[in-house]
Amino acid sequence: MKTYTTVQGDMWDSIAFRQMGSTDYTDRLMNLNPAYRNYYTFPAGVVLTLPEPVYKISEKLPPWKQVKK
């Protein structure tokens, strides 16, 4: 399980974007770290658990090209 230690000024959506590549992970990130849900802007030093990435595979590709990246 991966973790991230916040720096002063981090916000949920910016952490999701920088660490996982998309703000779509914001809800999952918050759900994994319920003790910090009241934070809007983080102080430095809070250790958060990061969600596992979700891989989307296009159904339009032929089976041999449907590979998780």
Side-chain angles (χ1 to χ4, degrees), residues 4 7 9-10 13 17 22 28 30 35-36 40 42 51 59 63 68-69:
Y4 171 74
V7 295
D10 272 343
D13 57 346
F17 182 77
S22 175
R28 292 182 64 212
M30 292 175 80
Y36 305 107
Y40 177 73
F42 283 93
E59 295 176 3
K68 293 182 181 179
K69 293 183 181 179

Side-chain angles (χ1 to χ4, degrees), residues 2-66:
K2 292 185 180 183
T3 61
Y4 171 74
T5 303
T6 62
V7 295
Q8 180 70 37
D10 272 343
M11 294 183 286
W12 290 107
D13 57 346
S14 63
I15 295 168
F17 182 77
R18 283 195 320 273
Q19 296 301 310
M20 293 159 281
S22 175
T23 58
D24 292 344
Y25 286 98
T26 303
D27 286 342
R28 292 182 64 212
L29 179 62
M30 292 175 80
N31 289 335
L32 276 176
N33 300 280
Y36 305 107
R37 286 188 72 99
N38 292 332
Y39 282 97
Y40 177 73
T41 304
F42 283 93
V46 176
V47 178
L48 300 174
T49 302
L50 298 177
E52 294 294 323
V54 175
Y55 297 102
K56 295 181 181 178
I57 300 172
S58 175
E59 295 176 3
K60 295 178 183 178
L61 293 174
W64 62 89
K65 286 193 172 186
Q66 292 182 9

